[in-house]
Amino acid sequence: MKSKFCSLAISAILFSACSSPVVTETYMPAAENNLRAPAVPLVTIDPYTSIWSFADKLNEENTRHWTGKNFPLLGGIRVDGKSYRFMGVDDFSVTPVVGTAASGLWKGMYTEKAPAGDWMTVDYKADGWKTAKAAFGTKENPHLSTPWTTDDIWVRRTFDMPSGLSDEPLYVQYSHDDNIEVYVNGTLVAVTGNGLDYDLLKEIPESVVKTLKPTGNVIAAHCHNNGGGAYVDLGISQKVKSDNSFDACAKQIAVNVMPTQTFYTFECGGVQLDVIFTAPFLTDDLDLMASPFNYITYQVRSLDGKEHDVQVYMETTPQLAVNSIDQAVSFEMIDKNGMTYLKTGSVEQPVLGKSGDDLRIDWGYLYLAAEQSPRVTMSIDEYFATKNEFMANGRLSGKVGNVSADMQKQMTVLAYADNLGKVSNNMVSGHVMIGYDDLYSIQYFGNNRMPYWKHNGEVDIFKAFSNGAKNYTDVMQRCQAFDAQMMQDAVASGGQKYAELCALVYRQAIAAHKLVTDKEGNLLFFSKENFSNGSIGTVDITYPSAPLFLVYNPELLKGMLNPIFYFSESGKWTKPFAAHDVGTYPLANGQTYGGDMPVEESGNMLILMAAIAQIEGNADYAAKHWDVLTTWADYLQKEGLDPENQLCTDDFAGHFAHNTNLSIKAIIGVAGYGKLAAMLGKNDVAERYTNAAKEMASKWVTMANDGDHYRLTFDQPGTWSQKYNLVWDRLLGFNIFPTDVATTEMAYYKTKQNKYGLPLDNRKDYTKSDWILWSACLTGNPADFTALVEPVWLYANETTSRVPLSDWHFTSNGSQRGFQARSVVGGYFMKMLNDKILK
């Protein structure tokens, strides 16, 4: 969907959730973003409280956690007595029309070799395909009949449509592991990214339903297995009519993703509805950036010149406060200091009791909060009771009603309604706040640390929400001003498409972190290695994400490095190179990764220290850690030119000896140490290490030369790889590599690009998009930058993997290879960092 935002004039009469109107600006996006986001950020606070829309339309699917689990937000609007759904989907029952394997075995045709032609269409001749019973997959899955263990499978199922169906919507019902595309009569109906899910439902568009015939229809799927288990099952179901759900949908007109805000526009019942999700991620204000809440704003005006009676409804569920739906939950409604809070959380409250990747928080409490007003009613009640009440009269009971600790037996919701009254041409608005009090966020070497915003217990959740409510208008204006400036700067730096990519990844990068302090008050900004292994404080996650934070606040980058320094300087880590991580999120008690990355992590730390010094104009931070930096620099000088067989940040591609790009990192790291020494007045040390780096670079050119490019490994002619680490040579002013290394590489890269980007190296056609953005900056030539970046924009815009942007994708078809929602996309800001330093 195009994201052009339809808006009003700048000024209008607005009503907040308070009773008295104020004159202020109508909130509009700061710029235009035409990029179709693979997933749209909605509520982004930290790695646990993270809610996204994985669909083109906000009311097309359930909203989800970045892992793909349902994190439901539901929104409705009542216009002149008729209710429309604008966000999420209602729970509803379905009945099988074309049953899945659970309803009885079905036969289909399949192949494990990529078919030619339009294999998903009705008339396709599936010559050479096999016929077998469903479901297809590996043995741990239910209803399995046919083993499938290869990377890909294509499945076709021919079916007849029963007569006498009602007019209720039809849904494709499918199970998958991993990436799947589902077609009905040749039209793509459902796309799901990496992961395992059973019995997902996706409504079949009316235009596709019209193609269904009594006989000879086809449901087809292509599924790609990224490793581990595999599964495919397909069917069609029909919705069972219900009188207690939002059957009517608001018509989505636009979506626009800005750095700190997402804007949606809908039309329904003669009114326009704007819905704005705001995360106050302003890095120059750490209290605000670390806030435990986001805002959801709604604005309504008449489209037809008539006056309309309007009410707005929103709800969420305790699913946002547990890891799994089988956990018991509690509820509470609290009135405090002019605000009403709806609170829910697990009964068990296992604070910091779990660590790992595919986990959601199950301690602390979720809050839905609003300022008290005669317009606003809030309640906690059974799932359908709140909706029935709202649809009947536009208000809620204001009470805690029929609640259940067992979500599997009865889902209880936290519900909010705002009676906007008569709405005409002037915009009328309100907002609700959603947030999370995680009590304690991180365990840091045995000590449980509160989130930064608590200031060691001086601020509680109610004060945080109250301050957020009081400062709402100011925060919204500041976010819009930041968005406008960032978009302007990004366009000037790399063009419109580059700016659109930066807008998409900004919240993703920050929300993959948690900000705390240690007992001495030092900042600790912990990344979570999302959709990888769940490591906390991973150095080779910090390194690619660093450009964003070097541009906007180097103190946050220091907060990422501080735990690694403490780990070594405390004597807890005794090896002569930097650690890979400090634990598994949220337990930062020491490295848990199974292998060391000696050259990788030592080079990362030294390069980032040099970058911080370049930005700040001094090496004071390096002086605090000089002894350990010296140890790492000496290791790189000894071992870095021709690295032995060891892991690097691209370990997913396999590790090997003689890695030329890793060698560049070591050389730049040694040069970085020399730069730091010079800035600290250690001139003899600076000369020694700078000369060593120059000598290493000279040897590298000879060892890596392969004619019209430079090799993947020193010992393998005919190979190639992206030399993204070379970007720092020019950026930090070293210039120890001949300039023609970068220009030669760039010319070669342009011959190796696929539709969706430049592969990482010659071994596979997949890539890391963050590294492409670095490689695009190697020569400083704007045309080179554009040539490499535009395919990345196309990937983000067209990928069928509907997840928070994956940084690891196939360049041939644009699908996700692995990873999602990771902070490394902060590396997209390398061009802006380049311009900040060199212009």
Side-chain angles (χ1 to χ4, degrees):
M1 169 175 287
K2 290 289 186 182
S3 57
K4 186 174 181 181
F5 188 78
C6 303
S7 61
L8 288 177
I10 295 295
S11 187
I13 300 293
L14 295 185
F15 293 77
S16 73
C18 302
S19 57
S20 57
V22 293
V23 178
T24 184
E25 289 184 350
T26 297
Y27 297 118
M28 301 186 300
E32 187 171 311
N33 190 341
N34 286 304
L35 174 63
R36 182 233 60 180
V40 178
L42 303 178
V43 176
T44 50
I45 295 176
D46 59 26
Y48 286 135
T49 306
S50 179
I51 310 175
W52 299 70
S53 171
F54 285 36
D56 288 330
K57 297 179 181 178
L58 186 58
N59 55 10
E60 191 173 20
E61 294 182 358
N62 265 319
T63 57
R64 307 191 199 184
H65 187 257
W66 65 258
T67 56
K69 297 295 183 182
N70 284 343
F71 257 32
L73 295 175
L74 187 72
I77 182 170
R78 187 172 180 266
V79 182
D80 299 326
K82 182 175 180 179
S83 296
Y84 305 81
R85 174 170 44 84
F86 64 82
M87 176 167 59
V89 295
D90 289 309
D91 280 347
F92 55 87
S93 298
V94 295
T95 184
V97 174
V98 179
T100 63
S103 303
L105 299 180
W106 56 269
K107 285 186 177 182
M109 301 184 74
Y110 77 99
T111 180
E112 294 167 312
K113 296 181 180 179
D118 295 328
W119 58 270
M120 72 293 291
T121 59
V122 172
D123 296 330
Y124 180 77
K125 304 299 182 184
D127 296 332
W129 290 44
K130 302 174 185 177
T131 300
K133 293 180 179 178
F136 304 85
T138 47
K139 61 183 179 180
E140 67 273 13
N141 287 294
H143 316 298
L144 183 71
S145 292
T146 301
W148 162 47
T149 57
T150 59
D151 288 346
D152 292 88
I153 191 171
W154 289 260
V155 178
R156 288 173 54 89
R157 180 184 185 183
T158 302
F159 64 94
D160 299 335
M161 282 298 294
S163 60
L165 293 176
S166 70
D167 293 330
E168 295 302 305
L170 293 174
Y171 293 80
V172 61
Q173 185 170 351
Y174 62 102
S175 302
H176 74 102
D177 186 5
D178 290 295
N179 304 60
I180 195 169
E181 307 161 21
V182 183
Y183 299 81
V184 175
N185 284 355
T187 299
L188 182 64
V189 172
V191 178
T192 304
N194 199 30
L196 165 65
D197 275 298
Y198 298 115
D199 294 319
L200 295 176
L201 296 169
K202 186 66 177 288
E203 185 172 356
I204 302 175
E206 185 178 350
S207 59
V208 179
V209 172
K210 290 179 178 178
T211 71
L212 296 175
K213 302 169 291 185
T215 61
N217 303 289
V218 170
I219 181 171
H222 167 223
C223 193
H224 176 77
N225 177 25
N226 285 325
Y231 194 60
V232 173
D233 189 16
L234 304 167
I236 293 177
S237 294
Q238 185 168 47
K239 183 176 182 179
V240 175
K241 184 171 177 57
S242 171
D243 293 327
N244 51 12
S245 63
F246 291 94
D247 285 335
C249 286
K251 181 182 179 182
Q252 183 173 309
I253 302 302
V255 56
N256 194 327
V257 177
M258 288 289 98
T260 67
Q261 298 182 305
T262 296
F263 292 77
Y264 283 94
T265 300
F266 302 89
E267 292 180 1
C268 53
V271 304
Q272 173 181 301
L273 165 69
D274 303 328
V275 182
I276 310 166
F277 297 87
T278 303
F281 279 168
L282 304 179
T283 58
D284 62 347
D285 184 338
L286 295 186
D287 274 309
L288 191 58
M289 188 201 78
S291 296
F293 57 80
N294 279 192
Y295 303 107
I296 306 176
T297 301
Y298 43 91
Q299 305 179 150
V300 184
R301 72 172 178 97
S302 174
L303 286 174
D304 56 12
K306 299 178 182 178
E307 194 173 66
H308 298 279
D309 187 46
V310 179
Q311 297 83 36
V312 172
Y313 173 92
M314 293 190 210
E315 71 170 31
T316 189
T317 80
Q319 289 164 265
L320 278 63
V322 294
N323 179 52
S324 58
I325 200 170
D326 58 349
Q327 294 179 275
V329 292
S330 65
F331 301 91
E332 186 177 4
M333 177 184 286
I334 302 167
D335 291 324
K336 191 177 183 70
N337 298 329
M339 295 189 70
T340 296
Y341 300 86
L342 307 182
K343 173 184 175 183
T344 187
S346 72
V347 170
E348 183 186 3
Q349 287 296 306
V351 177
L352 295 170
K354 295 183 176 71
S355 63
D357 186 27
D358 190 9
L359 294 172
R360 289 139 299 278
I361 196 167
D362 59 1
W363 69 88
Y365 297 93
L366 171 74
Y367 290 85
L368 194 66
E371 296 169 273
Q372 292 170 356
S373 160
R375 285 176 18 185
V376 171
T377 50
M378 303 175 72
S379 65
I380 302 175
D381 209 335
E382 185 272 333
Y383 185 87
F384 292 109
T386 56
K387 299 172 187 60
N388 287 338
E389 193 172 29
F390 175 78
M391 288 188 288
N393 55 39
R395 297 181 63 82
L396 300 172
S397 68
K399 301 177 181 178
V400 178
N402 179 22
V403 301
S404 172
D406 188 339
M407 287 185 283
Q408 293 176 304
K409 290 184 178 179
Q410 176 197 298
M411 184 60 71
T412 304
V413 299
L414 318 178
Y416 164 94
D418 185 357
N419 182 7
L420 300 179
K422 302 298 182 181
V423 174
S424 57
N425 293 331
N426 288 333
M427 193 77 87
V428 181
S429 83
H431 66 273
V432 64
M433 300 170 70
I434 185 169
Y436 208 97
D437 182 3
D438 54 1
L439 307 179
Y440 289 92
S441 301
I442 302 292
Q443 187 174 97
Y444 185 56
F445 292 99
N447 181 242
N448 291 352
R449 303 305 301 164
M450 292 181 179
Y452 179 87
W453 62 266
K454 284 195 170 185
H455 292 285
N456 293 316
E458 294 179 8
V459 177
D460 65 12
I461 191 68
F462 302 111
K463 185 174 181 180
F465 267 101
S466 180
N467 287 340
K470 179 176 64 177
N471 296 322
Y472 165 75
T473 301
D474 177 65
V475 173
M476 292 289 285
Q477 292 173 346
R478 289 172 63 188
C479 285
Q480 287 194 302
F482 172 81
D483 289 353
Q485 188 64 57
M486 201 201 93
M487 294 299 289
Q488 179 180 326
D489 293 345
V491 169
S493 180
Q496 179 65 27
K497 289 183 177 179
Y498 174 64
E500 291 174 355
L501 284 169
C502 289
L504 172 64
V505 302
Y506 181 80
R507 273 175 282 171
Q508 176 174 320
I510 296 176
H513 293 82
K514 190 69 178 183
L515 185 64
V516 301
T517 61
D518 63 16
K519 289 185 288 187
E520 287 72 39
N522 298 305
L523 284 182
L524 305 172
F525 194 42
F526 285 108
S527 64
K528 181 178 189 292
E529 197 166 339
N530 288 344
F531 221 85
S532 177
N533 61 10
S535 290
I536 186 171
T538 304
V539 179
D540 57 276
I541 296 295
T542 295
Y543 177 69
S545 73
L548 185 155
F549 303 101
L550 286 165
V551 169
Y552 290 112
N553 189 347
E555 292 301 319
L556 290 169
L557 180 54
K558 294 178 187 177
M560 297 183 219
L561 304 182
N562 283 338
I564 299 297
F565 282 124
Y566 173 78
F567 196 18
S568 284
E569 293 165 350
S570 66
K572 300 177 189 298
W573 177 261
T574 59
K575 298 178 182 180
F577 46 79
H580 168 270
D581 62 79
V582 289
T584 301
Y585 197 94
L587 307 181
N589 295 320
Q591 180 171 307
T592 53
Y593 190 63
D596 294 331
M597 297 186 181
V599 172
E600 173 72 41
E601 310 304 20
S602 300
N604 289 341
M605 292 295 290
L606 283 160
I607 292 170
L608 293 179
M609 291 298 283
I612 290 171
Q614 178 78 25
I615 290 292
E616 295 188 331
N618 65 74
D620 295 350
Y621 183 57
K624 297 178 182 179
H625 305 289
W626 194 250
D627 288 347
V628 72
L629 290 174
T630 302
T631 298
W632 296 340
D634 288 344
Y635 179 87
L636 291 179
Q637 189 176 353
K638 180 182 178 183
E639 306 289 349
L641 175 59
D642 190 4
E644 63 182 7
N645 191 12
Q646 63 183 257
L647 294 168
C648 71
T649 189
D650 301 324
D651 56 355
F652 53 83
H655 57 287
F656 45 74
H658 318 301
N659 183 335
T660 62
N661 189 45
L662 186 59
S663 174
I664 292 174
K665 179 169 289 182
I667 296 167
I668 299 295
V670 173
Y673 181 80
K675 177 185 179 73
L676 294 168
M679 295 179 76
L680 291 171
K682 303 177 186 290
N683 295 330
D684 56 336
V685 175
E687 183 179 4
R688 187 164 69 251
Y689 283 87
T690 300
N691 287 338
K694 289 179 179 178
E695 182 179 351
M696 294 168 77
S698 178
K699 291 179 179 178
W700 185 97
V701 172
T702 300
M703 294 164 62
N705 196 331
D706 207 40
D708 61 351
H709 69 281
Y710 294 86
R711 300 173 182 176
L712 168 67
T713 65
F714 292 123
D715 61 335
Q716 297 184 55
T719 61
W720 69 274
S721 64
Q722 289 190 46
K723 308 302 189 298
Y724 53 82
N725 287 316
L726 187 62
V727 70
W728 296 107
D729 186 39
R730 188 172 60 88
L731 197 58
L732 297 179
F734 301 148
N735 300 312
I736 57 176
F737 286 86
T739 56
D740 64 1
V741 172
T743 56
T744 297
E745 282 288 283
M746 183 63 70
Y748 191 76
Y749 294 163
K750 290 179 181 179
T751 70
K752 295 298 179 180
Q753 287 206 103
N754 291 322
K755 180 178 180 180
Y756 295 110
L758 176 67
L760 185 64
D761 57 47
N762 60 267
R763 291 173 292 173
K764 301 281 187 179
D765 91 334
Y766 58 58
T767 194
K768 289 284 271 80
S769 57
D770 48 333
W771 297 145
I772 293 179
L773 269 292
W774 289 34
S775 294
C777 298
L778 286 179
T779 65
N781 184 323
D784 290 339
F785 179 81
T786 299
L788 265 63
V789 168
E790 288 199 345
V792 176
W793 183 94
L794 192 66
Y795 149 67
N797 192 62
E798 295 184 356
T799 180
T800 57
S801 302
R802 306 306 299 273
V803 297
L805 188 69
S806 170
D807 54 285
W808 183 18
H809 73 271
F810 293 101
T811 60
S812 56
N813 61 26
S815 67
Q816 173 190 30
R817 171 60 183 89
F819 304 156
Q820 62 197 48
R822 301 208 308 164
S823 64
V824 301
V825 292
Y828 283 29
F829 286 78
M830 179 57 83
K831 183 63 166 65
M832 293 180 71
L833 177 63
N834 176 92
D835 293 352
K836 180 172 183 174
I837 291 176
L838 298 181
K839 290 185 178 179

